[in-house]
Structures are given as C-alpha cells and as structure tokens.
Amino acid sequence: MNNIDLSLYLVTDRGLSLDRPIEYVVEEAVKGGVTVVQLREKNITSKEFYNLALSIKETLKPYKVPLIINDRLDIALAVNADGLHIGQSDIHYDVARRILGEDKIIGLSVETVEQAREAQYMDVDYIGISPVFSTDTKNDISTPLGLEGIKEIASFSRHKIVAIGGINIDNTADVMISGSDGIAVVTAIVSQEDVKASAKKMKEIINQSLSIVAKK
C-alpha cells in the first residue's frame, strides 16, 4: 500500500481552466498546497494526452507531487506516471496492478456504499467516492452520497478515501470532518482567477479540519 498524501487532490480539465495552459494551472495549484494531480482529459487524442502527460510530469517533478493518469493505462505506462485512477467500467484493478506493479498508485472510483464494500477486497491504494454533492463536471454519475455517505463508508473502509463532486470552500470542512482523507476538486481550483490562493485557502481548511478530527 502506497503512502500518499491525498488531502488536496486536483483533477484537471482544460475546458474549465479559463484558457490558461494546464501546466500553469497545475503549478500554481501545487504552489498553493495541492498534494496530488490527476490528469483527466477526455476530448484529446492519445498523442496529445501523451505529450500533455509528459509536460505535466516535468512540471510536477521539482515539487515531488505524484501524477495520476485517469483511465488510460497505456498513457500511465508510456510516461511512467506515479499511478492510475480507474472507474467501475475501466480495466479491472487486478489487471492494472499486475501491469503497473506494486510501487504504483491505483485509485478506484466508487459511487455507492455497496461498491465501497466490494473494494475492501481489492488491491487499490485509495477509493474516490463520488459524487458527494451534485456537480456539473460529470454527468454520468449516481445519486449524491452526501455527508452521511462519507460517514458510512469511512466507518468500514480499509482504504483511504478521497471525496469528489461539488466540493468547494464552503463545504470542505464538513467533508473532511465526516471522515474523508482528502478532497478532489476541479472547478474549485482550476476555474478560479487566482489558482494558487484558492488552493492555499482549501489546504488551510483541510489542515484545520484534520486537526479537529485528530482531537476527537
């Protein structure tokens, strides 16, 4: 099991980045406190995805922040990314683990409590539970789990939990205090005028929330 800081997990989306280079957005976000970056780009060619992944990997290198590739096992292998994030309909986790090896990070999306229970038997490093709240960045997702869903999954999950879906400055603390190990965001960072400041504010809230949880 990889020891990874999932506290502030950035998911990219060039279409929401206000026409700024994704490399710029990623670097500013990391400077603000982002601890993991997932490259998720659905509407580009494999060649474009490969080149972008190489560029982002180079951007992250000085900061020692891991690069996770969404869905594309081939791209993760080609650029020697730190890991892969897969959904319920993507390549099976055990195939990904066998190909990537034990040293790579594998994350799995779960959309229901039952899927989270099934993940208990899987060799993944974290589960991304989604959606916590309604979101416009994904339109193929299940009914929002809400804070109660986080609490229920956190009560039994042996995996680290990252919550995603409609999370912003106003509800970050509630999500963390409900039992999540981290939050994954898109628009709350990439669509903000001041990316670094937005990430910094979210990281401060996360750290404060983790301190509250630790004292309980």
Side-chain angles (χ1 to χ4, degrees), residues 97-184:
R97 176 62 74 200
R98 185 171 70 248
I99 293 172
L100 289 174
E102 294 298 322
D103 62 325
K104 296 299 185 181
I105 300 161
I106 296 181
L108 174 71
S109 291
V110 300
E111 298 176 354
T112 65
V113 173
E114 183 56 36
Q115 288 177 359
R117 291 191 186 280
E118 292 170 356
Q120 291 287 85
Y121 305 98
M122 301 180 186
D123 181 20
V124 296
D125 295 285
Y126 70 89
I127 55 173
I129 60 175
S130 69
V132 176
F133 308 111
S134 297
T135 175
D136 293 329
T137 58
K138 293 187 74 177
N139 55 19
D140 58 345
I141 50 180
S142 304
T143 303
L145 288 159
L147 298 177
E148 291 305 313
I150 297 176
K151 292 175 183 176
E152 183 174 357
I153 293 171
S155 72
F156 66 79
S157 180
R158 71 183 183 89
H159 299 301
K160 290 186 175 181
I161 295 169
V162 179
I164 186 169
I167 299 174
N168 53 46
I169 289 287
D170 296 328
N171 56 32
T172 290
D174 290 336
V175 170
M176 295 300 297
I177 291 171
S178 294
S180 188
D181 295 291
I183 60 165

Side-chain angles (χ1 to χ4, degrees), residues 35-55:
T35 58
V36 184
V37 174
Q38 181 190 131
L39 185 59
R40 185 180 75 185
E41 299 294 340
K42 299 288 188 180
N43 301 312
I44 57 178
T45 66
S46 293
K47 182 178 181 179
E48 289 172 326
F49 201 158
Y50 169 75
N51 288 331
L52 184 57
L54 281 178
S55 182

Side-chain angles (χ1 to χ4, degrees), residues 10-34:
L10 177 69
V11 180
T12 69
D13 190 321
R14 292 191 303 172
L16 297 173
S17 299
L18 308 184
D19 295 321
R20 298 169 296 194
I22 196 64
E23 293 88 347
Y24 166 80
V25 172
V26 165
E27 185 162 21
E28 287 296 291
V30 168
K31 287 178 180 178
V34 160

Side-chain angles (χ1 to χ4, degrees), residues 72-89:
R72 297 288 300 271
L73 175 60
D74 57 335
I75 300 295
L77 281 170
V79 304
N80 192 27
D82 298 287
L84 176 73
H85 186 89
I86 52 178
Q88 293 291 318
S89 61

